[in-house]
Amino acid sequence: MPVERIAGVHAGKGESADVEEEVKRGVLVTQLDRAVSWARKQSMWPVTFGLACCAIEMMATGAGTYDLARWGMEIFRASPRQADLMIVAGRLSQKMAPVLRQIYDQMPEPKWVISMGVCASEGGMFTNYALVQGVDSIVPVDIYVPGCPPRPEMLMYGILKLHEKVRTEGRIK
């Protein structure tokens, strides 16, 4: 988070040594929306929404080997009312599309969506009437993670790109 140091701040007479020591270390000043964006990116909670083989890779990303806890995402939420990130992992059928939209609508603002895998992003090899040809026709997608299925490293890269997007574009509404 960008900070500014203010030069020339000194503790006056009668101030305790603790305050003087704190001022010598420096004073951090930032904008409120930058601080809120930093806090949002550090505490994203994904909702559990695995649809096909990509869900196995998503679960592997949350396991100890890859450790999503480094970015404050160690808990996949089962309730959409407690989550602010939806990772759509796998192919989306026409019957499941209204359920996906309902879960998305139940999530609190601000909310983000990652489309994981080529099936979720554009239908993959399944170009038929039963599958949605891109989850972006149902919910707005922020980050696309390609692959069939994408490796956990690719999902982590997509999450880091989303963090960068939240940090730079996130504004208080």
Side-chain angles (χ1 to χ4, degrees):
M1 176 169 36
V3 295
E4 300 173 29
R5 293 204 178 262
I6 300 176
V9 178
H10 303 286
K13 291 183 180 179
E15 304 244 0
S16 68
D18 293 339
V19 173
E20 190 172 325
E21 188 70 323
E22 198 62 38
V23 171
K24 283 182 183 178
R25 278 194 245 157
V27 178
L28 296 177
V29 178
T30 188
Q31 296 173 345
L32 180 61
D33 62 339
R34 285 185 179 176
V36 169
S37 294
W38 176 83
R40 283 180 179 158
K41 95 175 178 61
Q42 292 298 110
S43 64
M44 283 187 178
W45 288 354
V47 66
T48 305
F49 204 84
L51 295 169
C53 45
C54 290
I56 303 299
E57 299 295 327
M58 180 179 66
M59 288 184 265
T61 308
T65 305
Y66 297 100
D67 193 24
L68 280 179
R70 290 179 281 179
W71 297 295
M73 298 177 64
E74 61 269 9
I75 301 172
F76 277 81
R77 297 293 173 180
S79 170
R81 291 180 180 90
Q82 297 175 345
D84 53 4
L85 170 63
M86 176 185 279
I87 302 173
V88 181
R91 59 186 184 271
L92 179 65
S93 67
Q94 294 288 349
K95 284 187 174 183
M96 197 63 171
V99 177
L100 175 96
R101 184 60 198 204
Q102 181 180 13
I103 290 173
Y104 177 80
D105 290 340
Q106 290 176 354
M107 292 169 58
E109 290 288 339
K111 51 191 165 187
W112 301 277
V113 177
I114 293 178
S115 176
M116 181 180 176
V118 70
C119 292
S121 298
E122 61 178 43
M125 65 189 102
F126 305 104
T127 51
N128 61 32
Y129 67 92
L131 296 178
V132 175
Q133 301 300 309
V135 75
D136 55 354
S137 63
I138 308 299
V139 294
V141 175
D142 296 296
I143 301 291
Y144 294 92
V145 177
C148 182
R151 298 270 311 139
E153 295 90 353
M154 295 172 74
L155 178 58
M156 290 177 5
Y157 181 75
I159 289 169
L160 291 176
K161 283 297 184 186
L162 180 63
H163 282 179
E164 183 66 23
K165 182 178 179 179
V166 169
R167 188 183 66 79
T168 57
E169 297 176 9
R171 298 288 177 235
I172 299 174
K173 294 181 182 178

